[in-house]
Amino acid sequence: MSESPWWQSTTIYQVYPRSYQDSNGDGIGDLPGIIGRLDHIQDLGIETVWVSPFFASPQLDFGYDVTDYEAVAQEYGTLDDAVRLIDEVHARGMRVMFDLVLNHTSDQHPWFQRSRSSRTNPKADWYIWADGRGKHGRRPPNNWKSAMEFTSAWQYSPIRKQWYMCSFLPFQPDLNWRNPEVKEAMFNSVRFWLDKGVDGFRLDIFGQIMKDAALTNNPVRPRVYNGFPRMTERVHTENTADNVQLAKDLRAVCDEYPGDRVLLGEVFGPPSVLRSFLGDDDGLQLVFLFDFLTYKYDAEWFARTIAEFDRNFPAPQQPTYVLENHDRSRTIDRVGGDPAKARVLAVILLTVRGVPTIYMGQEIGMSNTPLRFKDALDPIASSVFRRVPQFVADRMSERLNRDEMRTPMQWDSSANAGFSPAGVQPWLPVNPDYVRVNVADEAAQPGSILNLYRQLLRVRREHQSLRTGSLALLGALPPDVLGYRRNDILVLANLGEQPAVVRYTGEVLVETGQVAVGSGRTTLFPDSAVVLRTVVPRMA
Ligand code: GLC
Ligand code: CA
């Protein structure tokens, strides 16, 4: 039997380095801290660790603004620590992915410092520069919007008397990937980490890298996408054909190396568009599908979305599933703080066909930490969202301050939740619920959400059907019940408010909430889910 590539059936755990574990008492998480907590990730049953950026950076966007792709930020440790992290993950039989911010650098990167200094310097063309419109060129070159949609993507530089493009925030200038020197320099940094043994990369806003070379205006067509209002259709700035080609070029770099080195793109758009990044198995291996970040807690919604993902990513391609990350609300807050519902979502996340990602703390049911908006460190909150009109803010079910999802990991009920030593002030406050919601206490409670995650991940590892089996949604179920079959495994979840009876039964592998499995029928009470094995193997 030939083994399928590891990424097709892996499970991913996202570590936000600043908030995982502070090993030296400065209030900031660091690489030695992560290494010291790898056993937790291994015990959880995770197969791949994705570490958010820890490269040299002024930390205005907490690492998503890099000044040196081949150096580790001082507060996070050293290059040796990064190499040790790779080795320690491997020593535990897991894989590790780093986070590559290819679209932009920090404006403090030496390349940009040089680039902005004149129109003729050797780095002049390393970023996307354009003349403005109007008599004195003081109007932005075109109507392109930044990621936040409320501001132009262009920033004026009085020195060059030109505009530079920023898909994100003004201190994150977009690199000019049409310049072969840029491409070469960036690919060499990719090789730098591949040489050190990293198994792959999560690619930050990958779909935005290649914009239309002619700077054509985007059509103005307001709508709401994934919870965020958009004024323009980003046909010339997102998911372009040239960007698909870049996926293939990057894949070719990874394929210079032995073993499957994997690329997972942060991209935005409908699944039918996003699959183009995979090419014919010569592009990215995986792309994030973010619809689950804005789910409706509704069986029909899940059935429809899962069907859409599954149809667009036929095996050996894999859809991906994600409920939380460092940018978006915690799961539990989306379901009115109801842990029973968060548990049902965990069952779905870890039993559908595809690659699931778990954000640190999700496994213990961490919630958003209520913080005062005016204290926000998150640069989006403190700049852009500060100016969002109230009626728009009300329409967005999103949290506008990402700090709330980035507070320190809660390890135990001691001071600072075990993140930093007592007496130290962590970079963001610890959620006061840590006395109840923490790894140590939940590990000791058989019925905790942590133990549910562990059990689900174990069952997933033990059953090939859950790893690689096909998925078939079950029809003719009671209205609020979601059900699907993965070969010999059945998953049933009741997302409604009434008990529901289904005519399926089997051996219970995992259950959450109240479930009664009888002969020929199973009763699911509200907010319950069960994983059943329907074919009991014959004894030898
Ligand atoms: C991605 C990251 C986010 C970051 C942004 C700019 O969306 O997930 O945290 O702020 O890109 O790099
Ligand atoms: Ca530290």
Side-chain angles (χ1 to χ4, degrees):
M1 194 183 90
S2 77
E3 281 274 318
S4 52
W6 64 269
W7 57 266
Q8 288 179 9
S9 57
T10 197
T11 49
I12 303 176
Y13 183 85
Q14 181 191 359
V15 172
Y16 194 70
R18 206 170 186 80
S19 296
Y20 209 55
Q21 177 69 59
D22 169 19
S23 74
N24 61 348
D26 62 357
I28 296 171
D30 44 57
L31 298 186
I34 298 172
I35 294 168
R37 292 295 189 180
L38 288 177
D39 289 345
H40 165 70
I41 304 174
Q42 187 185 22
D43 291 347
L44 186 56
I46 289 291
E47 296 170 34
T48 300
V49 188
W50 148 34
V51 189
S52 281
F54 49 79
F55 311 106
S57 163
Q59 309 288 357
L60 292 180
D61 193 15
F62 302 109
Y64 288 97
D65 49 333
V66 177
T67 48
D68 184 347
Y69 290 91
E70 299 175 16
V72 173
Q74 241 175 41
E75 62 213 303
Y76 292 155
T78 62
L79 198 52
D80 280 352
D81 292 328
V83 172
R84 202 156 55 85
L85 175 62
I86 296 174
D87 296 343
E88 292 281 340
V89 171
H90 288 163
R92 288 167 180 77
M94 299 186 288
R95 310 266 179 173
V96 61
M97 297 173 86
F98 288 168
D99 200 322
L100 276 183
V101 190
L102 304 176
N103 178 72
H104 50 266
T105 68
S106 159
D107 64 354
Q108 295 173 44
H109 195 297
W111 297 342
F112 187 71
Q113 295 290 319
R114 197 76 203 271
S115 189
R116 70 160 20 148
S117 67
S118 71
R119 295 190 185 199
T120 50
N121 72 80
K123 296 273 186 293
D125 197 27
W126 277 48
Y127 291 82
I128 300 176
W129 290 96
D131 293 330
R133 287 175 298 177
K135 196 159 149 229
H136 302 288
R138 295 304 298 265
R139 278 168 50 224
N142 63 18
N143 78 345
W144 292 355
K145 299 277 182 244
S146 80
M148 294 305 112
E149 197 61 46
F150 306 106
T151 50
S152 167
W154 298 94
Q155 296 296 321
Y156 189 70
S157 157
I159 306 166
R160 280 181 61 147
K161 297 195 170 40
Q162 275 186 313
W163 297 75
Y164 64 92
M165 190 182 172
C166 301
S167 292
F168 218 71
L169 292 171
F171 59 84
Q172 291 161 311
D174 285 23
L175 284 162
N176 176 17
W177 277 80
R178 295 187 186 278
N179 180 337
E181 290 175 26
V182 169
K183 200 165 168 180
E184 184 62 15
M186 293 300 281
F187 280 2
N188 282 337
S189 289
V190 173
R191 291 188 183 99
F192 177 85
W193 292 108
L194 289 169
D195 279 325
K196 306 225 170 324
V198 74
D199 297 291
F201 304 96
R202 176 264 189 190
L203 306 169
D204 191 65
I205 56 169
F206 186 76
Q208 263 105 308
I209 297 177
M210 301 301 291
K211 303 82 161 126
D212 175 40
L215 308 186
T216 313
N217 273 333
N218 277 327
V220 179
R221 234 173 293 163
R223 66 192 180 119
V224 174
Y225 184 74
N226 266 0
F228 288 102
R230 281 193 175 179
M231 313 308 166
T232 54
E233 196 83 39
R234 300 191 187 172
V235 290
H236 299 300
T237 45
E238 194 166 47
N239 304 336
T240 63
D242 287 348
N243 219 113
V244 172
Q245 183 55 46
L246 179 64
K248 297 181 181 180
D249 297 347
L250 196 55
R251 171 68 174 270
V253 173
C254 289
D255 286 351
E256 293 166 11
Y257 289 78
D260 281 303
R261 311 290 177 109
V262 168
L263 299 168
L264 163 58
E266 185 200 29
V267 287
F268 299 89
S272 56
V273 170
L274 299 184
R275 70 173 172 199
S276 64
F277 284 107
L278 309 188
D280 189 14
D281 191 26
D282 57 354
L284 312 184
Q285 285 91 337
L286 298 164
V287 287
F288 274 123
L289 304 175
F290 286 130
D291 305 50
F292 262 46
L293 292 177
T294 48
Y295 60 82
K296 277 211 206 55
Y297 189 78
D298 170 285
E300 209 208 294
W301 185 91
F302 280 109
R304 208 181 334 116
T305 308
I306 291 167
E308 190 191 4
F309 284 15
D310 209 63
R311 188 174 58 242
N312 280 292
F313 293 84
Q317 296 180 350
Q318 300 293 324
T320 59
Y321 287 87
V322 49
L323 288 167
E324 298 183 7
N325 62 31
H326 63 297
D327 295 327
R328 309 298 284 268
S329 173
R330 293 282 188 180
T331 315
I332 243 170
D333 294 270
R334 288 191 195 275
V335 286
D338 185 348
K341 291 186 167 61
R343 298 168 69 111
V344 170
L345 293 171
V347 174
I348 299 170
L349 175 72
L350 294 174
T351 56
V352 278
R353 184 182 76 84
V355 174
T357 299
I358 296 169
Y359 176 48
M360 59 158 209
Q362 180 180 335
E363 75 276 26
I364 53 170
M366 275 177 70
S367 51
N368 299 332
T369 305
L371 296 170
R372 285 189 309 191
F373 197 80
K374 69 176 186 53
D375 298 334
L377 301 179
D378 168 17
I380 304 182
S382 60
S383 62
V384 186
F385 282 162
R386 207 167 42 84
R387 288 181 273 138
V388 173
Q390 191 54 46
F391 79 95
V392 177
D394 290 346
R395 266 190 25 213
M396 296 163 69
S397 59
E398 287 311 313
R399 305 305 305 161
L400 299 184
N401 177 3
R402 296 181 297 173
D403 293 352
E404 297 187 341
M405 295 77 85
R406 298 174 174 180
T407 58
M409 179 68 183
Q410 295 162 204
W411 295 106
D412 55 45
S413 58
S414 71
N416 284 330
F419 167 74
S420 277
V424 169
Q425 196 181 349
W427 77 284
L428 282 176
V430 174
N431 192 316
D433 73 5
Y434 80 92
V435 289
R436 193 169 44 80
V437 178
N438 66 67
V439 173
D441 287 350
E442 291 187 30
Q445 298 155 9
S448 65
I449 189 161
L450 173 60
N451 279 316
L452 175 66
Y453 268 96
R454 285 181 176 170
Q455 192 187 4
L456 283 163
L457 283 159
R458 190 181 63 243
V459 165
R460 191 189 156 97
R461 281 196 315 279
E462 286 170 355
H463 293 270
Q464 196 60 31
S465 301
L466 286 174
R467 297 177 68 86
T468 54
S470 61
L471 179 141
L473 285 156
L474 302 176
L477 290 169
D480 293 321
V481 176
L482 172 70
Y484 45 87
R485 184 182 277 287
R486 309 279 321 273
N487 299 349
D488 58 328
I489 306 238
L490 267 183
V491 181
L492 296 158
N494 182 358
L495 288 79
E497 281 161 18
Q498 302 296 326
V501 180
V502 295
R503 57 180 178 80
Y504 295 100
T505 180
E507 175 201 353
V508 176
L509 298 177
V510 186
E511 65 186 318
T512 179
Q514 215 188 325
V515 182
V517 183
S519 60
R521 54 190 256 153
T522 293
T523 308
L524 292 140
F525 290 86
D527 299 326
S528 70
V530 66
V531 183
L532 297 171
R533 178 153 68 163
T534 54
V535 189
V536 182
R538 271 187 304 166
M539 298 298 240

